[in-house]
Amino acid sequence: MRKILTTEAQTPSSGKPAGLPANSVGIVEPQSHTFPGPFKLACGRVLDEYTLVYETYGTLNADKNNGVLICHALSGHHHAAGYHSEDDKRPGWWDHYIGPGKPIDTNKFFVVALNNLGGCHGSTGPTSINPQTDKPWGPDFPPLRARDWVHSQAQLADHLGIRQWAAVVGGSLGGMQAMRWALEYPDRLRHCVVIASAMKLSAQNIAFNETARQAITSDPDFRDGRYLEEETLPRHGLAVARMIGHITYLSDDGLGKKFGRELRSGTFKQGVEELVEFQVQSYLRYQGDTFSSSFDPNTYILMTRALDYFDLAREYDDDPVKAFSNARCKFLLVSFTSDWRFAPERSREIADALMHANLPVSYAEVESPMGHDAFLLPNARYENLFSAYMNNVASEKSSKRENEVAA
Amino acid sequence: MRKDLDIIHNWIAPETRVLDLGCGDGALLERLSKEKQVGGYGLEIDPDQIQKCIERGVNVVEQNLDNGLKNFADQSFDTVVMTQALQTLRFPHLVVEEMLRVGRECIITFPNFGQWKARWHLAVSGRMPVSDLLPYEWYDTPNIHFCTFKDFEVLCRQHGWQILHRQVVSESPVSGVLKDFLPNLFGETAIYHLTR
């Protein structure tokens, strides 16, 4: 049994074709595991079994204490770093920060990234077949909360033989999961890295999410969410939802710098009726269209609802200090100056609560014009901070090992 | 380590909780944590210094002291420390008030503008002093509120802050001897340990 686990925990890192960057984890292959149920969800419903798709980078050490879990954000999935093939045009979504020599250094850490339950990239979700009906789950898939993800991630950790993560890391919705980890499984992580996140959404955040969901559900092809059975797809609705989301991930300044008021077609010349199209319009449409051909609308609805419901302190008398007093790990928080979706104030609230709870925490507010998306993009200060912190996480682990050996 | 930090280290009791305002590279907190099992946080705004704190494994939180310490509860720390930052603040007296609200005690160090070199420089050259201790020109200095030891003690009296200890340090040997007789003239750095 144990032997099988170890084999599965190895990264297929053997082949790094010459064409790929030297600091890439190279060609990676998703893996999947089906967990036997019953798996009880926060909503009260039970899954008889579920599958998670995940990728791993780096090697799990003999003590199995160098595991780092990457929690994905709203539209993320298991493919966080590296390439699926040599012809792959783009690497995984957090490739800037995961790889040999990068902040989450795969020479030191065994990195696990997964597609969350309810996702649409292989893990059990609305596009999977409901065993009760033999039809796609669609809108009948149970609503999920961040804690359901955390519990399923804990089962994945068990499966990989990881009792305690060196760090659980996440940005945005991923940061919420990382914080939930610290409360639900305090002894199963040593560090919690929360980037551009919040303890709960603001009314404005929820308003944007609701508008996005309305865009999807009002598409005539949505068919009450049963579009798979009816062989339609609310492509336009999902594209609009993504466009709304995308605007909130960027900053006014960032969009202005990238596109300004540049025209893609048409002219402002008087006496000409030709329609004017701004560059930013076609950019947004492109983003929307690309997304709507790769993401499931029901999953988008489910994930945005999980975001809306998330409230770290709700069950702790709305007192974040009381909530965090359950945690044992160390925290790193990072926010970005132009992020108005999860503004620095939201991270500052987390830092304040952690300091009140007397937990080790460091917090940095990184200058960036890139809005919420900054957490995925290259930024020298962010990279240096993140690397320094993770270096300490790695050396702490080895010194702990030395102590154990000495004892 | 700077002389003022050595003295502060001696004044802080083991296993207490410290908040270090403008903590710089985190050297003091690192030493307090290693040698005295002191816990706490540093507040800092300089990105390079924050980076150094994180490299050292010191808890550092990015925060501008000019915005106050509203996010900290009354008496939530044993000691609030602020070294060589008083003179850079917009309203130093308000920050000291806050330090004594958040901590049971506070320790403050600042450069003495009444030291003879500064007086001499201003008197003789008629220009703002630039020295090792005050290495900035008047137009690009972060130091906007210089004071002398005497000035600071007047402020303490006016606000009813009680001075528990006061120590004057000097890097040069001659000033080192003379500072005990005429601290305001020969002391380079003042260290005040205050409570309410």
Side-chain angles (χ1 to χ4, degrees), chain A residues 48-90:
Chain A
D48 295 336
E49 60 169 36
Y50 68 94
T51 299
L52 292 181
V53 172
Y54 62 96
E55 285 180 6
T56 70
Y57 323 112
T59 310
L60 187 60
N61 63 17
D63 294 332
K64 302 190 175 190
N65 63 3
N66 67 334
V68 170
L69 176 69
I70 309 292
C71 303
H72 72 68
L74 183 62
S75 58
H77 46 74
H78 52 277
H79 185 39
Y83 299 81
H84 281 159
S85 73
E86 263 180 275
D87 312 322
D88 216 349
K89 285 195 197 94
R90 293 181 63 181

Side-chain angles (χ1 to χ4, degrees), chain A residues 352 358-359 363 365 392, chain B residues 17 41 51 54 60 62 71:
Chain A
D352 287 345
N358 206 10
L359 284 159
Y363 164 60
E365 197 177 305
N392 286 343
Chain B
R17 219 167 108 82
Y41 310 92
Q51 172 73 22
I54 288 179
V60 63
E62 186 158 343
N71 51 329

Side-chain angles (χ1 to χ4, degrees), chain A residues 330-332 348 351-352 354-366 381 383-386 388-389 392, chain B residues 17 19 40-41 43 46-47 50-51 53-64 71-73 76-77:
Chain A
K330 297 180 179 173
F331 290 79
L332 173 67
R348 197 168 280 287
D352 287 345
L354 287 167
M355 286 194 285
H356 276 107
N358 206 10
L359 284 159
V361 54
S362 283
Y363 164 60
E365 197 177 305
V366 172
R381 185 183 172 203
E383 284 169 38
N384 290 339
L385 275 172
F386 203 171
Y389 190 86
N392 286 343
Chain B
R17 219 167 108 82
L19 183 66
Y41 310 92
L43 304 186
D46 180 342
I50 291 171
Q51 172 73 22
C53 289
I54 288 179
E55 283 165 12
R56 284 173 190 268
V58 163
N59 297 323
V60 63
V61 168
E62 186 158 343
Q63 183 164 338
N64 185 346
N71 51 329
F72 294 97
S76 49
F77 287 86

Side-chain angles (χ1 to χ4, degrees), chain A residues 342-378:
Chain A
F342 288 139
E345 269 314 302
R346 303 284 80 78
S347 289
R348 197 168 280 287
E349 286 163 4
I350 304 171
D352 287 345
L354 287 167
M355 286 194 285
H356 276 107
N358 206 10
L359 284 159
V361 54
S362 283
Y363 164 60
E365 197 177 305
V366 172
E367 180 81 34
S368 166
M370 307 309 291
H372 186 57
D373 269 356
F375 88 87
L376 300 169
L377 300 171

